[in-house]
Amino acid sequence: AAATAKIAATPVPSPTPDVPAVMDGERKLGSGEASWTLGKAAMHVSEVEGAIQTTGEFKIAILTFPAGKKEKLQLEFMYTGPGPVNQGYLTKAFAVDEDGRYHAWKKGVGDCWVDLAKGTAFEGEGTMSCPKGLLDMEDKPAKPIVDVKFKAKADSTAPVKTP
């Protein structure tokens, strides 16, 4: 007897009403905090400024953790979701010490790793370590930035309207 093959219909994914569609655009950050070690000094800031920009599947986090009017830690990177961030997607990582000296990662010079526990269009949370090769504004060796833990969340899931 000949075997007859049954061809099943391709299942169509049903829309999930509890998951909002993510619109492209920029979402301003409303809450966040970061802690890190710069050289031997432990630092902590409990506010964040910046935004998460979304274009297709890519998100760009622009995170500034200030203390008063002074920026203390700034991170900028592109990502698609949670997990390790490709070092090629990291565009900026620097910290400022109590003396106002910059300690910055430069592409192709130092090592920096970012790993996201949460990476959406509305929220970024994770860890970072830049253990060696950091430079100051005059390209002189600077202190490592390690044990970084950060979280930042947008106030709204809707993108900011641009005029």
Side-chain angles (χ1 to χ4, degrees):
T4 52
K6 286 187 180 176
I7 299 171
T10 306
V12 176
S14 59
T16 48
D18 57 331
V19 179
V22 175
M23 291 170 31
D24 284 358
E26 179 174 287
R27 289 162 182 86
K28 295 277 180 218
L29 297 173
S31 61
E33 66 177 320
S35 61
W36 66 98
T37 303
L38 177 57
K40 292 185 169 80
M43 318 281 264
H44 181 265
V45 171
S46 54
E47 57 183 304
V48 67
E49 294 169 357
I52 296 174
Q53 299 169 351
T54 306
T55 305
E57 67 177 279
F58 285 101
K59 277 84 80 191
I60 298 170
I62 302 157
L63 312 176
T64 300
F65 297 94
K69 298 254 182 252
K70 295 180 180 172
E71 57 194 357
K72 288 294 182 184
L73 178 70
Q74 188 169 13
L75 311 175
E76 212 169 284
F77 54 87
M78 187 167 64
Y79 60 97
T80 53
V85 172
N86 179 324
Q87 196 170 117
Y89 290 173
L90 183 63
T91 53
K92 191 180 285 182
F94 70 80
V96 182
D97 66 21
E98 294 304 314
D99 299 327
R101 184 169 174 237
Y102 281 73
H103 304 269
W105 168 83
K106 287 195 177 165
K107 201 178 279 288
V109 178
D111 284 325
C112 252
W113 296 277
V114 177
D115 197 353
L116 295 176
K118 292 180 182 173
T120 70
F122 322 112
E123 189 172 15
E125 181 177 331
T127 58
M128 183 186 82
S129 182
C130 302
K132 63 182 182 187
L134 273 68
L135 301 171
D136 68 9
M137 299 288 267
E138 285 131 27
D139 286 342
K140 293 191 169 93
K143 297 173 190 168
I145 310 168
V146 295
D147 303 326
V148 180
K149 291 182 181 72
F150 64 90
K151 60 170 101 175
K153 196 170 187 174
D155 277 339
S156 167
T157 57
V160 174
K161 303 257 186 299
T162 48

